[in-house]
Amino acid sequence: MKITRLRVAELRRFREPFEISGLAPGLNVFAAPNESGKSTLVRAIRAAFFERHRSSGAEDLRSWGDSAAAPTVELDFTLGGSDYRLVKSFLQKKRCELVAGARRWEGAEAEDHLAELLGFEYALKGASGQKHWGIPGLLWVEQGTTQAIAEPVEHAAAHLQRALNASLGEVAATGGDEVLDRVRLLRRELLTATGRPTGPLAEAQRAAEESAERVAEIEAAVHGHAERVDRLKRQRDEHEAETREAPWLALRQQLAQAETALATAEGLQREHDAAAATLRQADGLAGLLRQQIADDGKRQQELATREATRAAAQRRHEAATGAEAQRRQQLALADAQAQQAAAQARLEAVQTRIAAARLDILRQDVERLRRSADEAERAHRARELEVARLTAELAAVGAQGLDEQLAGEHATAEHAARRRDELQRRAAALDLLLTKLEGRRQALTRRLQAPLQKHLDHYASLLFPAGRLEVGESLRPEVLARPGLRGEERGAFETLSFGAREQLGLVCRLAYADLLREAGRPTLVILDDALVHTDTERLERMKRIVFDAAQRHQLLVFSCHPAQWRDMGVPVRRLDTDG
C-alpha cells in the first residue's frame, strides 16, 4: 500500500485546505517544528481509516474554535495494483466515499471494505482504540509509542499468523486455517471473544427469558383472577350480611343513649355550679355577721371607758340596747352558719354524683359511638363499590381468555427453551472445538516462527552486530542476545533501556512489515518522531535500517529534527501550514 496524496480541511489547526501530494513509493521525510501539525496529519490518516464517519470519537478533529467545522480527509493510495481515493468527513457533514476505478463504495460499506483490505476493525461504539487497529496499528507508530510493541502485536496477531502461514506454505496446504477460520466464524456467530452469548444465541436466550416472563405474568394474572373471585364472594357475603344486620343502626341507638347520659351528667354540672354559688353566698353572709359582732364588741369596750360623769340611767339604757342587738346578731349568725352547712352538704353531694357519672368518659363514649356508626356506614358503602369494581374487572378478564393464553404461551416458552438449549450446546461444542484447534495451531506456530525470525535477524544485525532478537510464541520480541565481556548476554526485552526498546520496537515493526509483504498483505509504515530517545551512534544505525526498509515499503517519517534526516537520499519536505 502506498499513499500518493493527502488533503485535510477544517481539521484542528488546518482551518483551510492543506495538501501533500507527490509522495514517493519509498521513503518520505516531513519536518516541522513542534505544534506545526505533524501529529495532526498522522491523526488525520488514522481517522480516515479507523474512525467511522458517524462516530462521536472524532470530536478531537474539530477545527479549533469552530463549532460548525466538518473535518475532512482525502487520501489517494494504491493497493494491490488498484488506485483508490478515500474521502471522509466528520461531525457536521458526515460522509464516507471510497472509489477504485469504476467501483464506488459509500458509508459503512466503504469503511467495512477498507477494514477488510487493510486488516483492522471498527469499534462497536465510540472512538476506536488500539485493540481495533490490527496491522495498521502495528505499523503506524504514534509519537512516544515506538517502544510499546506488545499490545500492537497482540492486536495484529491473527493477521500475522495468516502471513506466517502464507510465508511457509505448510498449514495453508493442509486447509487447517480454513477450518480454524470457519470454526472461529461459527463460534463468533454465537459467542463473543470473551465467551458472552451473541447473535442467535443471545437472541434465543432473550426469547426464552421473555417467554418465561410472559408465562409468569399470565400465571400471575390467572392467580390474581382466582384471588379476585374469592375476594368478590367474601365482599358480597359481608355486604349482604351488613345489609341485613345494619350494625350502624344499633350504634346510632347506643349513641342516642350515650348522648342522653351525657346531657344528664352535664345537668349535674349545672347543679354543682348553683350549689357552689349558694355556698359562696352563705359563706359571705356568715363572714359579714362575724364582722358585725366583732365591731359591736369593740363598741362595748368603748362604753366602759366613757366619762364617769355620764348618767347611770343613760349607761344602763345603752347597755341594754347593746345586749339586745348582740343577741339578735348571734341568732342571725347561727342561721347563716346553718345555711352554710346545708350548702356545703349539697355541693358535696352533687360532686359525688358528678364523680360517679365520669363526664369525660361519657363524652368519649359519644365520640366513639358516633365515629363507629359513621365508619360502619362508610364501610358498607365502600364494600358496595368494591363489589361493583370486582364484578367489572372479572367480566373484563374473563373476556381475555387467560387459560387459552397460558396454554399458548407455555407452548411458545417450551419451543424457545429448546431453541436456546440447542444453540447453547452448539456454542459449547464450537468453543471446545476451537480450543482444540487453537491448541494445535499454537503448536504449529512454534514451527512457523522462522520466517519472522529471519527478518528480525536481518535488521537486528545492523543495530547490534552479532546480536539476535528472539521472538516468542506470541510473535512478540522477548530476548535480546548479544556478545558481552563474559560471553553471551541475554536481556529480556522489557528490561532494556527506553532507548533500546524504542530502537528494537521499530526493528520489530519493520520485520513484521517484511513478513506481511511476503504474504501479499498491504504495508505502509508511518513514524511520528519515532526515535527521539536514540543517541547519535545508534541513530546512524537506525537510519541505515530505515533506508533499507524503504526499498520494500513506503515509509512516512515525521520529525521535528530535519538535520537528522538530510543524509537519507530523499528531500526533507517542510510542512508549510500556511498553504
Side-chain angles (χ1 to χ4, degrees):
M1 175 183 175
K2 295 177 176 59
I3 293 177
T4 57
R5 184 180 72 93
L6 167 64
R7 183 179 187 272
V8 298
E10 299 184 30
L11 194 148
R12 290 189 181 173
R13 66 180 295 108
F14 298 103
R15 292 176 177 270
E16 301 300 325
F18 177 80
E19 181 172 315
I20 299 176
S21 59
L23 275 70
L27 181 61
N28 297 266
V29 179
F30 303 95
N34 291 329
E35 300 297 325
S36 296
K38 301 185 303 300
S39 296
T40 295
L41 294 176
V42 176
R43 170 64 175 131
I45 295 173
R46 286 177 169 275
F49 289 100
F50 295 157
E51 302 291 354
R52 293 280 191 187
H53 67 289
R54 295 188 176 279
S55 171
S56 60
E59 184 65 33
D60 67 300
L61 301 176
R62 186 185 300 279
S63 181
W64 296 340
D66 185 359
S67 60
T72 302
V73 184
E74 294 184 14
L75 281 167
D76 292 348
F77 61 94
T78 62
L79 179 61
S82 299
D83 294 328
Y84 288 84
R85 170 164 289 181
L86 170 63
V87 180
K88 186 174 284 191
S89 296
F90 302 92
L91 303 180
Q92 300 303 112
K93 298 178 181 179
K94 297 177 175 65
R95 173 193 174 206
C96 180
E97 180 182 79
L98 179 65
V99 178
R103 295 203 61 183
R104 178 189 302 273
W105 300 265
E106 294 184 353
E109 182 185 17
E111 293 170 332
D112 293 339
H113 188 63
L114 280 173
E116 183 178 356
L117 285 175
L118 299 185
F120 67 91
E121 61 187 49
Y122 289 101
L124 296 178
K125 185 177 181 181
S128 69
Q130 193 176 73
K131 66 181 180 181
H132 306 109
W133 297 342
I135 289 177
L138 178 62
L139 303 183
W140 300 358
V141 185
E142 290 184 301
Q143 187 178 49
T145 64
T146 315
Q147 80 291 343
I149 190 67
E151 288 191 18
V153 172
E154 179 183 350
H155 300 316
H159 306 285
L160 291 172
Q161 291 280 10
R162 283 192 288 273
L164 283 169
N165 294 342
S167 179
L168 191 61
E170 177 180 339
V171 179
T174 66
D177 269 359
E178 287 79 358
V179 173
L180 189 58
D181 289 343
R182 178 61 177 167
V183 172
R184 282 198 185 103
L185 177 62
L186 292 174
R187 180 189 180 280
R188 195 179 305 125
E189 291 175 354
L190 300 176
L191 297 172
T192 66
T194 58
R196 294 173 61 86
T198 188
L201 176 56
E203 180 59 34
Q205 289 182 339
R206 283 194 297 271
E209 291 173 0
E210 292 172 358
S211 187
E213 289 174 357
R214 287 194 295 271
V215 167
E217 290 174 358
I218 297 175
E219 287 178 342
V222 170
H223 181 68
H225 180 270
E227 286 186 342
R228 283 193 291 271
V229 170
D230 293 341
R231 189 162 66 251
L232 175 60
K233 183 179 184 305
R234 290 195 303 271
Q235 293 287 353
R236 279 177 172 168
D237 292 345
E238 292 176 3
H239 182 266
E240 291 173 357
E242 286 177 346
T243 301
R244 290 192 305 271
E245 297 170 4
W248 54 89
L249 296 179
L251 289 169
R252 295 293 182 196
Q253 291 176 355
Q254 294 178 40
L255 173 61
Q257 294 171 359
E259 288 175 338
T260 300
L262 177 61
T264 301
E266 289 175 341
L268 288 175
Q269 183 63 48
R270 290 190 295 273
E271 185 177 345
H272 172 275
D273 295 343
T278 301
L279 178 59
R280 286 194 298 272
Q281 290 176 356
D283 288 343
L285 178 59
L288 179 60
L289 290 173
R290 289 190 188 94
Q291 184 63 42
Q292 287 177 352
I293 292 171
D295 292 343
D296 288 345
K298 290 179 181 180
R299 284 195 298 272
Q300 289 297 327
Q301 291 176 359
E302 290 174 355
L303 289 175
T305 59
R306 287 178 180 176
E307 295 86 357
T309 57
R310 180 178 294 180
Q314 184 178 356
R315 287 197 305 269
R316 286 193 302 271
H317 175 71
E318 289 176 352
T321 302
E324 179 62 23
Q326 188 175 16
R327 187 182 63 78
R328 286 195 301 270
Q329 288 174 346
Q330 289 294 339
L331 291 174
L333 176 59
D335 184 60
Q337 288 175 337
Q339 293 179 9
Q340 184 181 26
Q344 180 66 40
R346 180 185 175 193
L347 178 61
E348 290 175 355
V350 171
Q351 287 176 337
T352 299
R353 292 170 61 194
I354 289 176
R358 293 298 300 273
L359 188 61
D360 55 337
I361 299 301
L362 291 175
R363 290 194 180 98
Q364 291 179 6
D365 288 344
V366 169
E367 181 64 21
R368 173 175 55 82
L369 293 170
R370 179 181 293 110
R371 290 183 182 180
S372 298
D374 292 344
E375 175 60 24
E377 291 182 339
R378 186 206 62 77
H380 183 65
R381 290 192 298 271
R383 187 166 285 108
E384 185 175 8
L385 293 175
E386 178 71 2
V387 168
R389 185 186 66 80
L390 288 172
T391 301
E393 283 185 2
L394 290 173
V397 171
Q400 295 176 3
L402 288 178
D403 292 336
E404 293 79 3
Q405 288 185 38
L406 183 58
E409 198 56 52
H410 268 304
T412 301
E414 291 173 0
H415 175 75
R418 285 195 300 271
R419 172 66 173 165
R420 176 202 58 204
D421 295 344
E422 175 188 347
L423 290 176
Q424 285 178 340
R425 288 192 295 270
R426 178 179 175 82
L430 288 169
D431 196 45
L432 177 61
L433 179 58
L434 182 60
T435 300
K436 297 291 186 182
L437 291 175
E438 286 182 338
R440 180 175 178 273
R441 183 67 180 81
Q442 290 172 1
L444 291 174
T445 297
R446 289 190 287 272
R447 298 169 50 198
L448 297 175
Q449 294 170 355
L452 178 59
Q453 190 66 60
K454 177 187 68 174
H455 295 296
L456 282 172
D457 292 345
H458 170 74
Y459 291 116
S461 64
L462 294 175
L463 182 61
F464 297 105
R468 176 181 173 84
L469 181 62
E470 299 176 0
V471 65
E473 293 182 6
S474 61
L475 304 182
R476 293 183 296 187
E478 291 187 351
V479 176
L480 174 64
R482 52 186 168 175
L485 296 177
R486 299 181 180 180
E488 185 181 63
E489 294 180 349
R490 297 176 61 82
F493 179 83
E494 296 301 328
T495 66
L496 301 176
S497 69
F498 192 95
R501 284 185 285 124
E502 181 180 69
Q503 298 144 25
L504 292 174
L506 179 53
V507 163
C508 291
R509 287 175 164 87
L510 296 176
Y512 296 135
D514 286 346
L515 182 67
L516 291 165
R517 178 176 176 274
E518 287 182 353
R521 303 291 297 182
T523 62
L524 168 67
V525 181
I526 301 176
L527 307 177
D528 184 9
D529 274 331
L531 296 170
V532 295
H533 298 280
T534 299
D535 60 48
T536 303
E537 181 181 351
R538 293 270 183 89
L539 181 61
E540 292 303 315
R541 298 178 188 176
M542 290 303 301
K543 287 194 289 187
R544 295 177 68 189
I545 291 173
V546 169
F547 187 84
D548 177 68
Q551 309 309 303
R552 295 175 295 281
H553 311 283
Q554 185 183 49
L555 274 73
L556 306 184
V557 178
F558 294 85
S559 175
C560 58
H561 301 289
Q564 293 180 349
W565 301 94
R566 287 174 182 161
D567 58 353
M568 297 300 291
V570 297
V572 178
R573 302 177 62 171
R574 302 286 300 189
L575 294 179
D576 183 3
T577 58
D578 295 328

